[in-house]
Amino acid sequence: MAKYLLEMKCITKEFSGVTALDNVDLDIEEGEIHALVGENGAGKSTLMNVLSGIYPHGTYTGDIVYDGNICEFHTIKDSENKGIVIIHQELALVPYLTIGENMFLGNECGSAMNIDWDETYSRADGLLKMVGLHESSRTLIKDIGVGKQQLVEIAKALAKNVRLLILDEPTASLNESDSRHLLNLLKDFKKKGMTSILISHKIDEVSYVADRITILRDGQVIRTLDRAQEKFTEDEIISGMVGRSITDRFPKRLPRIGDVCFEVKDWTVYHPVYEGRKVCENINLTLRKGEVVGISGLMGAGRTELAMSIFGKSYGRNITGHIRKNGREVHLNSAKAAIDHGIAYVTEDRKGNGLILSTPISENTTMAKLKKVSHHQVIDHDLELKVAREYRDKLKTKCPTVLQNVGNLSGGNQQKVLLGKWLFADPDILILDEPTRGIDVGAKYEIYCIINQMVEDGKSVLLISSEMPEILGMCDRIYVMNEGRIVAELPKEKATQEIIMTCILDSEKSTV
């Protein structure tokens, strides 16, 4: 009989009268990889926050039995002292500290009064190597992208004495090869006796790595699938998550592509910190009306930096090149200028750059275009609430009221608020940077439908995604980017995952 490392019994948790967890039972076998799946707001992260002490004992009902003993965790330190470490979907790193400092913050080598920096950076470099991040541990967090920051979070967790590792959407900002590397790391950890709980919306990943999968829906356990007893199927998992089967992951669209409406010419961007280092070099791209254009590439290719530099020069320095909209050159020297010219950018970093988590959904929804809900520079709060409710219903955001602070929503529902914010701005050109990161399969389909509706209305979408199936399933044309340069342009009919990777690898050979 399997030995249970963890048993959560009859866990019930409410927020302001709304039941987030309803009598949930969960058992985790020692040495297994156990996946939790479900739609946004199903209760996955809430259940893990109960386990880790973020929601302290007394704020929920039920019991946590860990290693045979009933535990009452009042802080996250209590759970960490038992060897339970959680890596959250939202990053918790200090931008102006180094990677090594972040990794051992609160867990210092030596003592708080006499830190052994040589040991700190030596151990940090070793852990970075384990997670496949080729950066110096002396690099500042602010100087690396979100994907690399996620790997730092994982290395930070490994620096602690872990028995049970909880990962909440750990691959959300990673590309396919880096994601597979991380999943294989979990398998290696399993061989060494570590137990893992993986929360993920990527069905193929949980099918690849999990020994068992527990499906949550509306705060209740629907069922648990066991690899030893039955083969996992995507249809079965998705049906359990959303209560119905999804036969086609990407909605059908008949392209009606018009004239060129947006051009980026000879665009070169230098790193904001390292003088002389080019992040984007001689970029040329076009968008047509009614077209979804994708940018594919490995982590660090410069995709996000390109998007941010186009959007009002929000990233980089010494930027040169030209942008034309509808045939006329435009000068987008600020985010406001970009918005005024009908360009919107949905950032990959919703927590840091996209939303104000301490303010209500209603205010976040309208902040990109306040003049649409204002009269003589005075905000009409009734109109603002009406608009926020419309976008909540349109995007099916799960929240009791639009007056709820965005920080209290699940990560996926925060992403919907971010998308609603820019849809309300009514742009002609919408740049989407990892728009379905941390989004469940049902919500992804809804967002794909919104993208299709935008381009059917004659607008244009520039889609950046680390998920190649998403790029291939949604885009009419694909640019392949590597090391700050566009190395290929592919029509949808000729694009495959193999061809995209070949373009990337060939471009690296040509620079050797």
Side-chain angles (χ1 to χ4, degrees), residues 34-293:
H34 195 115
L36 288 181
V37 300
E39 289 189 283
N40 297 120
K44 308 179 299 296
S45 295
T46 302
L47 184 63
M48 292 301 98
N49 287 340
V50 166
L51 170 60
S52 59
I54 293 171
Y55 298 140
H57 181 265
T59 64
Y60 61 89
T61 60
D63 292 319
I64 297 173
V65 181
Y66 181 73
D67 210 11
N69 300 308
I70 293 179
C71 295
E72 298 178 356
F73 299 137
H74 294 278
T75 67
I76 196 166
K77 273 292 183 187
D78 292 341
S79 62
E80 287 184 350
N81 288 338
K82 293 284 188 180
I84 301 171
V85 179
I86 183 169
I87 301 172
H88 294 282
Q89 181 179 349
E90 302 295 351
L91 304 177
L93 300 170
V94 183
Y96 286 91
L97 293 182
T98 65
I99 292 173
E101 287 171 317
N102 271 276
M103 285 172 60
F104 289 95
L105 191 60
N107 184 34
E108 287 81 7
C109 300
S111 67
M113 300 299 293
N114 186 23
I115 297 172
D116 186 334
W117 291 112
D118 289 338
E119 184 184 353
T120 296
Y121 287 117
S122 175
R123 287 184 62 192
D125 284 331
L127 290 166
L128 292 178
K129 195 172 292 184
M130 280 183 65
V131 299
L133 179 55
H134 304 294
E135 289 280 351
S136 167
S137 60
R138 297 176 187 270
T139 303
L140 296 180
I141 288 292
K142 73 179 184 66
D143 294 333
I144 61 175
V146 174
K148 292 183 178 181
Q149 289 179 22
Q150 180 67 69
L151 292 178
V152 172
E153 283 278 22
I154 294 164
K156 179 180 175 181
L158 295 179
K160 300 170 184 176
N161 188 22
V162 187
R163 283 191 68 195
L164 175 59
L165 180 63
I166 305 165
L167 303 103
D168 191 349
E169 299 288 351
T171 65
S173 55
L174 304 184
N175 61 44
E176 210 164 306
S177 61
D178 290 326
S179 296
R180 184 54 60 100
H181 171 72
L182 172 60
L183 297 176
N184 287 331
L185 272 179
L186 291 186
K187 289 189 171 186
D188 290 341
F189 297 156
K190 176 187 170 182
K191 292 175 184 175
K192 297 172 183 176
M194 186 187 294
T195 307
S196 300
I197 299 176
L198 173 67
I199 299 175
S200 179
H201 289 115
K202 298 181 180 180
I203 307 302
D204 58 333
E205 291 186 357
V206 298
S207 298
Y208 170 71
V209 79
D211 299 300
R212 290 192 297 155
I213 301 173
T214 293
I215 302 170
L216 290 173
R217 187 167 75 230
D218 297 328
Q220 296 180 318
V221 172
I222 301 302
R223 64 182 301 193
T224 295
L225 305 173
D226 191 330
R227 186 186 296 275
Q229 298 175 6
E230 56 192 316
K231 185 179 179 181
F232 301 147
T233 66
E234 288 195 10
D235 288 343
E236 192 173 20
I237 297 169
I238 292 169
S239 179
M241 287 171 58
V242 303
R244 65 190 190 281
S245 60
I246 296 179
T247 54
D248 197 341
R249 202 69 61 84
F250 302 100
K252 297 278 192 294
R253 170 171 57 89
L254 181 63
R256 294 185 177 88
I257 297 172
D259 297 331
V260 172
C261 61
F262 191 75
E263 299 173 86
V264 177
K265 295 280 189 181
D266 305 323
W267 196 255
T268 296
V269 180
Y270 285 83
H271 196 283
V273 176
Y274 300 113
E275 191 172 347
R277 176 176 158 190
K278 291 181 182 178
V279 180
C280 302
E281 183 176 2
N282 199 33
I283 300 290
N284 291 279
L285 62 83
T286 60
L287 276 77
R288 297 177 178 272
K289 290 182 179 180
E291 186 179 36
V292 180
V293 173

Side-chain angles (χ1 to χ4, degrees), residues 399-412:
C399 60
T401 169
V402 295
L403 294 174
Q404 183 177 12
N405 283 353
V406 172
N408 294 330
L409 298 177
S410 68

Side-chain angles (χ1 to χ4, degrees), residues 393-465:
D393 296 342
K394 184 176 182 180
L395 296 171
K396 300 181 181 177
T397 307
K398 291 184 179 178
C399 60
T401 169
V402 295
L403 294 174
Q404 183 177 12
N405 283 353
V406 172
N408 294 330
L409 298 177
S410 68
N413 284 303
Q414 288 178 10
Q415 188 72 7
K416 290 183 179 182
V417 175
L418 178 59
L419 184 59
K421 162 187 164 181
W422 287 112
L423 291 177
F424 175 67
D426 195 25
D428 302 318
I429 311 294
L430 180 62
I431 304 172
L432 297 171
D433 194 350
E434 306 288 359
T436 63
R437 184 181 135 204
I439 296 285
D440 63 74
V441 287
K444 278 185 178 184
Y445 190 88
E446 293 161 5
I447 289 175
Y448 297 151
C449 289
I450 291 168
I451 293 172
N452 283 353
Q453 186 59 56
M454 283 194 69
V455 294
E456 284 175 9
D457 292 340
K459 300 183 179 184
S460 306
V461 172
L462 184 64
L463 174 63
I464 298 169
S465 178

Side-chain angles (χ1 to χ4, degrees), residues 248-253 292 448 451-452 463 467-476 478 492 495 497 500:
D248 197 341
R249 202 69 61 84
F250 302 100
K252 297 278 192 294
R253 170 171 57 89
V292 180
Y448 297 151
I451 293 172
N452 283 353
L463 174 63
E467 296 187 34
M468 283 200 196
E470 184 168 84
I471 288 282
L472 296 169
M474 287 299 298
C475 298
D476 302 302
I478 299 163
K492 180 175 184 173
Q497 294 193 36
I500 289 173

